[in-house]
Amino acid sequence: MCLSRRSIKTSIFLFAFATAVHAQPALEQLTGKVVGVSDGDTLTVLVQRDQSLQQIKVRVSGIDAPEKAQAFGDRSKQGLSDCAFAKQVQVEVIKLDRYGRSVAKVISQGTDCGLRQIESGLAWHYKAYAREQSPADRQSYAAAEDAAHERKLGLWSDPTAIPPWDFRRPK
């Protein structure tokens, strides 16, 4: 069978598209107690692993919260604390980041803490990494950001709010 260049290119494109739009399955499912909150998108969870208690640093997937030095940085940290600190959480790890943190969806008492941060206007939907989310999460996070923006909640009350990925970029 002879395939044209066009059909080969189309097949490659469709394969790449199909693999890009599917979220990665969880690498690990953990349950533990949140013992620390660093900022609006990072926490420390005490988990049972390999028959010992371990603390793992967790970067909440799907969001990017204001840095501590940014406007709403403290409020964002407080929002994540309200959702998870000193509570039992389910941690759905999707990957390890370059700093060795577990990137994960964090569920506390049935609440998706990342989604709650966005709904409250305390974090951005981190669209650069949206492909790592399930299609349902990707859609709900984007809709929550639109609604928070429209209602001018939290960081959206500042018309010149700077996304943290721009704030971190060297001047």
Side-chain angles (χ1 to χ4, degrees), residues 48-117:
Q48 182 77 35
R49 211 189 232 172
D50 301 326
Q51 283 138 28
S52 66
L53 287 175
Q54 296 179 359
Q55 289 188 8
I56 61 166
K57 197 68 124 169
V58 176
R59 173 72 164 73
V60 180
S61 66
I63 70 170
D64 201 4
E67 298 294 328
K68 292 176 190 175
Q70 280 187 273
F72 294 94
D74 289 337
R75 284 186 55 195
S76 182
K77 178 181 178 181
Q78 186 60 53
L80 187 57
S81 292
D82 292 346
C83 188
F85 185 69
K87 297 177 184 167
Q88 284 291 120
V89 296
Q90 286 75 50
V91 179
E92 299 172 8
V93 180
I94 58 169
K95 71 177 189 178
L96 294 179
D97 70 8
R98 64 183 175 191
Y99 304 108
R101 299 176 298 188
S102 296
V103 177
K105 182 175 181 177
V106 177
I107 308 294
S108 173
Q109 299 173 332
T111 299
D112 178 341
C113 291
L115 180 59
R116 180 175 164 190
Q117 286 288 86

Side-chain angles (χ1 to χ4, degrees), residues 37-51:
V37 177
S38 303
D39 56 29
D41 57 27
T42 308
L43 38 77
T44 303
V45 182
L46 187 62
V47 299
Q48 182 77 35
R49 211 189 232 172
D50 301 326
Q51 283 138 28

